[in-house]
Amino acid sequence: MNSQNAELALSEAAAEIAAPLPGSGARAAGRRRSGLRAGSRLWTEVLRAGTRTRARARAAVRFGSDAAGSAAAGSDAAVSEHTLAVRESARALLGSRALIWAAVAAVVLAFGFGPMRHAFNPPHTTRGFGWLGDILAAPAARWDSSWYLVIAHFGYRPDLGHFTEARAAFFPLYPLGIRAFSSVGVPAVLGGVLVSLAALAFALYGIHRLTTLELARARRRPLSRERAHDVARLAVILTAFGPMAFFLSAVYSEALYLALSIGVFYAARRGRFAIACVLGALAAATRSAGLLLVLPVLILYLYGPREDR
């Protein structure tokens, strides 16, 4: 054996030592494939878990945004209905009162106060304000206005017997409102007009909200919001410009009773019966017909429809 053969022999022996045992390579390859498959399954599960987590997170974010959006939309709708009712009521109030005051003042200028101008003026409660003042007071202080003005100033005075017993026909809440203004220096006629105008403003607003509520949420054939708002606007206009609307800014209790009675229905319709009862009691202190408001309140309480159920 020379040096070259010895080197070759050593190489062959080393190759035999390094070579795997019979069958060990197949087992190693199988273990590698099993490990790869297990790792692949584990990685797939990790990816799936991550996908499900991201999907849940997106769903939670979407639900939260939808809930927030719904709450914001509901809040915006409530604000828009309130704003729309205020705007429509203010337009009808200002337009109708300007028309009525101008028309009545023109009639007084053209025809005078008539032959009965002194019959309902005890003692100078509807006249005696000067030439311009009498004309401006003409649309407000006439006929039964004198009773409210006298009660606000002198009270009912039952001690005077049959001379003042007729005052009992006029309920006390409206004269109390006039007296509240008079106590701070406001003339009685102007105080009565302010009470009536404030009550008319609330009445028109309540008509708009109540009409929208009833028509948009009717059980049979409810109207869309836009259509309900159109009908509510028409109801406000008809109330403000109707033939009898002349009395709603005069020194009469009609505007106050209208506002309170509408408030009773609106509060009861919303399920706020404590407020409805308070408003009903105030309406009964304004006119005798207010006692009858207990019937619709009781019906709404027992049978609905009510927004709280």
Side-chain angles (χ1 to χ4, degrees):
M1 178 182 296
N2 53 25
S3 59
Q4 294 178 354
N5 292 336
E7 184 178 3
L8 180 59
L10 293 173
S11 299
E12 291 176 355
E16 290 178 359
I17 294 174
L21 296 173
S24 63
R27 286 194 298 270
R31 284 195 296 269
R32 285 195 298 271
R33 285 194 296 270
S34 299
L36 289 175
R37 284 195 296 270
S40 177
R41 286 195 298 270
L42 179 61
W43 180 248
T44 302
E45 291 298 327
V46 170
L47 290 178
R48 288 177 179 174
T51 302
R52 288 193 295 269
T53 302
R54 288 193 296 272
R56 292 192 188 99
R58 286 194 298 269
V61 171
R62 188 182 305 111
F63 178 77
S65 62
D66 291 344
S70 300
S75 177
D76 293 341
V79 171
S80 63
E81 287 185 4
H82 167 75
T83 303
L84 183 61
V86 170
R87 183 170 65 246
E88 298 296 340
S89 302
R91 288 177 178 174
L93 176 67
L94 296 176
S96 63
R97 296 313 98 183
L99 176 62
I100 288 175
W101 238 273
V104 176
V107 169
V108 172
L109 286 173
F111 302 101
F113 289 94
M116 298 294 293
R117 60 184 181 274
H118 299 295
F120 295 91
N121 190 33
H124 303 288
T125 54
T126 61
R127 285 175 57 83
F129 309 112
W131 177 80
L132 181 60
D134 286 347
I135 293 177
L136 293 177
R142 284 293 169 274
W143 301 96
D144 284 349
S145 299
S146 61
W147 290 104
Y148 291 110
L149 294 171
V150 168
I151 293 171
H153 185 73
F154 300 102
Y156 286 94
R157 296 298 304 272
D159 55 302
L160 298 179
H162 69 278
F163 293 102
T164 57
E165 63 184 8
R167 298 180 187 180
F170 301 90
F171 280 43
L173 186 60
Y174 187 75
L176 284 174
I178 299 175
R179 190 177 184 87
F181 279 101
S182 299
S183 63
V184 295
V186 178
V189 172
L190 179 58
V193 171
L194 292 177
V195 172
S196 296
L197 287 177
L200 178 58
F202 280 106
L204 295 177
Y205 173 82
I207 289 173
H208 194 286
R209 294 301 300 270
L210 183 60
T211 304
T212 303
L213 175 65
E214 293 294 344
L215 295 180
R217 303 182 184 180
R219 294 182 178 179
R220 296 182 179 179
R221 301 179 63 182
L223 299 181
S224 64
R225 287 286 178 183
E226 293 75 12
R227 182 59 177 164
H229 289 158
D230 292 338
V231 178
R233 182 185 306 111
L234 179 61
V236 168
I237 292 174
L238 291 177
T239 303
F241 288 90
M244 305 306 294
F246 165 83
F247 295 96
L248 297 179
S249 55
V251 185
Y252 278 74
S253 62
E254 271 73 2
L256 181 58
Y257 179 75
L258 178 64
L260 293 171
S261 58
I262 291 173
V264 168
F265 279 95
Y266 186 72
R269 187 65 173 79
R270 297 295 299 271
R272 300 172 181 175
F273 287 94
I275 298 176
C277 291
V278 172
L279 294 177
L282 293 176
T286 304
R287 298 183 70 89
S288 58
L291 296 172
L292 299 177
L293 291 175
V294 68
L295 296 178
V297 171
L298 184 60
I299 291 173
L300 288 172
Y301 179 78
L302 294 175
Y303 306 106
R306 293 164 47 178
E307 292 299 305
D308 60 336
R309 69 181 184 186

